[in-house]
Amino acid sequence: MSDPQRLQLLRSINEAADADALRSSRDHVNDRMASKRSELPIDQFYTELNEAYDAIIIRAISLAEAHMARVGMGSPPVPYAYLLFGSGGRGEQTLSSDQDSGLVYENEPNAEKAEANRNYFAQLSKQVVIVLERLGFPRCEGNVLSDNPSWSMCLSSWNKQLDDWFEQPSWEAVRYLLIVADGRSVHGTSSLLDRMKDHFFANMAKHPNIVGRMLENTMRHKVLVGIFGQLLKERYGEDTGSIDMKYGAYIPMVNAIRLLAIQQGIRSTSTLERMKALHAANVLSEEDAQSYGQAFQLFLQLRLMTTEKLERGMYANNGKLAVRSLTREMIEQLKKGLRIGKRLQRRIIKETSVRLK
Amino acid sequence: MVKKLMLSIVALLMLFPAMAFAADEGPSTGLLNMGLNSVWIIVAFVLVLLMQGGFILLETGSTRMKNAGHVAGKTIFTIGLCTLIYWAFGYGIFNGGADISEGLRKFIGWGDFFYSPVTSAGEGDSFPSTAFFLFQLAFATISLSIAWGGFAERAKLSVYLVFTIFFTALVYPVIAHWIWGGGWLAEDGAQDYAGSTVVHLTGALAAMAATILLKPRIGKYNKDGSANEILGHNQVFSALSVLLLWVGWFGFNAGSALSVGDGFFGFVAFNTMLGAGAGTVAAMLVSWAISGKADISTTLNGALAGLVAITASCAFVDPWAAVVIGLVAGVLVFFSTKLFEKLRIDDPIYALSVHGAAGVWGTLANGLFATDELATKVGVGQGGLFDTGSWHQFGVQLESVVVCGLYVLIVSFIILGVMKLVMGLRVTEEQEIVGLDLSEHGTYGYPEQMKKAQNNNIQA
């Protein structure tokens, strides 16, 4: 907090009068954070970056609300919470994360009013997504976005949808449940999300077999280290010699820790927080928590080094890291980290399948 | 139904003793032996010829849809042309019976051009020369089809025509003569039972000369030197091709015994099966361990590499050695494909690795694993390092690989180099992109699919 530049940047975000002003703040954030990549300890880097992005998203929502008022749609008719999923939900956004979002609003018994509410929030969400796109946050390819009606509804509809997903755990439904588990309220009445999560965890207790389905859902992302401890790199194409940091290191670990955490009813969404909570709950030993934490921080750090590019004004990244750009020492660290990640993945598979038998 | 069957069996049983009694006036043991041998050689010839079905499927399966008809059809065409050239000229260079000086005979055969065989086997012959000719011809066509791997997806059709003539007349039969036709390497005792060097290495090195002169296919390499994967259009074809080749290989190897005799060809077939199995298993496991994915192409290549490697040694080694030879071949083929890719040599059908690297290994393996007992039985060379403790046979094997390799590579480079100057080897960029089906033959191998793709492109 002692950094005056940072405070000034947060102030300029909060005061941005329109999307263009906000875009320039976002570009500032990216430039500033990119230059601080090697100075800051990694957890602090992510905290600062995600704090700034949260501020930008909150401001974008305010701008969208103002736009709604301006076009005669009024102000939010009932309390709502704007939700972030994916890396945003986990507070692990990189300089080029996309939008994964949703929205939940208070129930309304009167059908006519409920329809009006639905209409208002549909318009609002649409506006928010557009503004964020203008800020260089690309849409989620899987369409997990607040402007998709399946991800924006009143609390009771959300709960009904969760029930459906738990009762019919198709591959897609399980994927959605895992996405919801990482949900975080970035703006608005966060108790709405708390109630949604209460419902989620009540369902977890009712459907113990869902854990196995969740494991199957995430197992296809393997840690990219071979049986000789070698890195499994891309063999063809322009990324030949690169390692897929996102799906071959970071995501498998996120998945494994999430699965442990939701079985314990842990509500934190950040992976490092989840590890701490798992240690507190005696699921992870002191030693394990520490080695998993270190490996994960290394992955977070190396993710930042993956090829960044600006595509049509969007901050984009393919998650792949050119191994030849690493020092020998870093490669050794990476291999060690991946071996730890693989051990964790194996442990989860073993423990989960034992429990289900 | 059952009754009828029983009746005919009883009738047959009654007939046979009657025939045995009649043997006094019937064929001699020598004639029967000759007859059995010829049946086996002709069956083996048919099996080897059927291996071309394997090559058709292998080459089409490993390449793209737009070239499928061309790739498949040209194999049939070149078998036809190879037959005529081999009959007119190639066989004479391999095994011609004309009276030429001892010195010249060390390097080539002469005579028997436009081969006109006697209609049946002579007194004391163990098989008719017609059967022998057909069997040898089938080997020549196999070597040629291996070479085509290096031409795939970008050579002009006319190149196939011209190269078939020169390869069948000047390249293949010379090597065959050196090792099998009583040439100078045969005199040194070079062991190559069914042709790891003669057939496979020869084909592979011609392919290498071609692929180097033709340069990689469009889109295979990026500007920074990294390779792209150009996937074949049908992995099922590729797998079926391996099965066809595997089956045909029993004609290839066991047929090379050229006799039924005491059943030694069964032992050769036995070793062949072990080598192939070992190659398959080793290749899949090594690709799984090293790249993290059990690669199907590598597995298929492993089966073929095992077969190629055991081809030279199937009659000279004990079964345990056949397994070792196959295992090494399977591992070798995986690293070899990676190496050629790194060297920026585009090898669409993996001919250089499967037939080249494994061919070299199989030939050299005799120098390590051959046993004196089997070498004496076959009557070529002596035991290898592990049986005799002597490096002699290994030296002979190394010599044959190096000398044959150099000859094929140099002569192929000259033939193709001249062709490149005179007629050009490669289709135009536009023709390559459109595909050879259309550019060389005017019609697609898969008309419906390709037209659909074309229409989509126009709309997009």
Side-chain angles (χ1 to χ4, degrees), chain A residues 98-151:
Chain A
D98 58 359
Q99 301 188 43
D100 300 280
S101 58
L103 198 146
V104 53
Y105 49 89
E106 191 55 85
N107 300 325
E108 170 57 60
N110 178 310
E112 207 170 304
K113 281 186 186 167
E115 179 54 27
N117 291 354
R118 197 199 55 74
N119 186 37
Y120 175 87
F121 288 110
Q123 296 298 325
L124 177 71
S125 302
K126 205 167 166 183
Q127 196 57 33
V128 175
V129 172
I130 289 172
V131 174
L132 288 174
E133 266 192 285
R134 287 182 60 187
L135 303 183
F137 294 97
R139 292 173 66 90
C140 160
E141 279 174 19
N143 210 17
V144 177
L145 282 167
S146 59
D147 68 359
N148 174 351
S150 309
W151 293 92

Side-chain angles (χ1 to χ4, degrees), chain B residues 220-238:
Chain B
K220 175 64 191 177
Y221 290 98
N222 299 312
K223 279 191 190 120
D224 62 357
S226 58
N228 295 314
E229 197 170 20
I230 300 181
L231 292 169
H233 86 279
N234 193 331
Q235 218 161 42
V236 179
F237 277 6
S238 306

Side-chain angles (χ1 to χ4, degrees), chain A residues 223-225 229 231 243 245 248-250 252-253 275 290-300 302 329-345:
Chain A
V223 179
L224 291 178
V225 59
L231 301 178
I243 184 160
M245 282 307 296
Y250 166 75
M253 203 137 185
M275 286 181 186
Q290 209 165 36
S291 72
Y292 295 154
Q294 274 170 5
F296 190 72
Q297 295 205 22
L298 177 72
F299 297 164
L300 286 177
L302 292 177
E329 200 189 354
M330 286 172 89
I331 292 176
E332 280 316 306
Q333 274 184 350
L334 173 58
K335 285 182 180 170
K336 193 177 150 212
L338 290 172
R339 279 198 294 272
I340 292 169
K342 193 170 183 175
R343 206 164 61 221
L344 170 64
Q345 205 177 30

Side-chain angles (χ1 to χ4, degrees), chain B residues 86-89 91-92 95 111-118 128-130 132-134:
Chain B
Y86 194 75
W87 166 70
F89 201 70
Y91 183 74
N95 203 34
D112 287 329
F113 300 119
F114 300 92
Y115 188 52
S116 165
V118 286
S129 60
T130 42
F132 182 71
F133 173 91
L134 286 173

Side-chain angles (χ1 to χ4, degrees), chain A residues 227 230 232 235-238 240, chain B residues 226-229 289-291 341:
Chain A
I227 57 167
Q230 81 277 26
L232 299 176
R235 289 173 55 204
Y236 293 101
E238 293 191 340
T240 301
Chain B
S226 58
N228 295 314
E229 197 170 20
I290 296 214
S291 61
E341 204 155 71

Side-chain angles (χ1 to χ4, degrees), chain B residues 41-110:
Chain B
I41 293 171
I42 291 287
V43 167
F45 155 67
V46 170
L47 281 170
V48 177
L49 187 61
L50 204 56
M51 285 170 76
Q52 294 293 349
F55 282 111
I56 289 173
L57 288 175
L58 183 67
E59 214 184 316
T60 36
S62 316
T63 51
R64 287 161 293 180
M65 218 177 217
K66 62 183 180 182
N67 300 319
H70 159 81
V71 165
K74 74 97 197 20
T75 303
I76 296 293
F77 168 73
T78 56
I79 294 168
L81 182 58
C82 178
T83 300
L84 298 184
I85 303 298
Y86 194 75
W87 166 70
F89 201 70
Y91 183 74
I93 297 293
F94 160 55
N95 203 34
D99 203 12
I100 52 172
S101 75
E102 269 310 296
L104 187 59
R105 182 161 288 285
K106 276 182 191 296
F107 298 99
I108 54 169
W110 197 259

Side-chain angles (χ1 to χ4, degrees), chain B residues 181-448:
Chain B
W184 65 287
L185 286 170
E187 284 174 14
D188 286 354
Q191 296 167 342
D192 186 8
Y193 193 68
S196 286
T197 294
V198 176
V199 179
H200 294 279
L201 185 60
T202 299
L205 288 173
M208 186 164 168
T211 199
I212 289 173
L213 287 171
L214 275 161
K215 308 240 164 63
R217 290 168 292 171
I218 293 172
K220 175 64 191 177
Y221 290 98
N222 299 312
K223 279 191 190 120
D224 62 357
S226 58
N228 295 314
E229 197 170 20
I230 300 181
L231 292 169
H233 86 279
N234 193 331
Q235 218 161 42
V236 179
F237 277 6
S238 306
L240 271 176
S241 82
V242 170
L243 184 72
L244 256 180
L245 288 166
W246 192 328
V247 170
W249 228 286
F250 291 100
F252 203 91
N253 285 3
S256 292
L258 295 174
S259 70
V260 175
D262 61 355
F264 184 61
F265 72 108
F267 177 74
V268 171
F270 179 84
N271 272 349
T272 301
M273 194 69 192
L274 289 181
T280 317
V281 173
M284 176 170 256
L285 292 183
V286 79
S287 78
W288 206 349
I290 296 214
S291 61
K293 285 183 186 128
D295 188 50
I296 299 294
S297 306
T298 306
T299 311
L300 302 180
N301 287 341
L304 295 180
L307 285 162
V308 169
I310 202 63
T311 293
S313 42
C314 48
F316 294 98
V317 302
D318 289 333
W320 68 268
V323 173
V324 175
I325 290 168
L327 289 173
V328 173
V331 174
L332 183 69
V333 81
F334 173 76
F335 288 105
S336 171
T337 46
K338 292 192 122 184
L339 176 71
F340 282 116
E341 204 155 71
K342 274 242 168 73
L343 294 174
R344 305 195 62 176
I345 295 175
D346 185 13
D347 182 16
I349 327 291
Y350 309 106
L352 308 191
S353 299
V354 167
H355 302 276
V360 168
W361 159 241
T363 309
L364 293 180
N366 268 331
L368 302 174
F369 300 104
T371 68
D372 236 359
E373 192 192 336
L374 287 164
T376 312
K377 183 169 175 58
V378 178
V380 181
Q382 58 186 60
L385 178 68
F386 298 133
D387 189 48
T388 63
S390 152
W391 284 98
H392 172 79
Q393 189 61 37
F394 189 84
V396 174
Q397 297 303 102
L398 187 65
E399 178 196 29
S400 69
V401 164
V402 171
V403 176
C404 294
L406 280 177
Y407 175 82
V408 174
L409 208 54
I410 291 169
V411 175
S412 299
F413 259 113
I414 293 171
I415 294 169
L416 288 163
V418 172
M419 284 168 68
K420 190 174 180 175
L421 286 177
V422 175
M423 56 187 282
L425 296 177
R426 192 162 173 160
V427 295
T428 65
E429 198 175 321
E430 193 199 356
Q431 290 171 321
E432 187 175 336
I433 289 167
V434 170
L436 301 172
D437 278 6
L438 206 60
S439 83
E440 303 298 282
H441 311 277
T443 173
Y444 282 120
Y446 293 94
E448 286 93 340

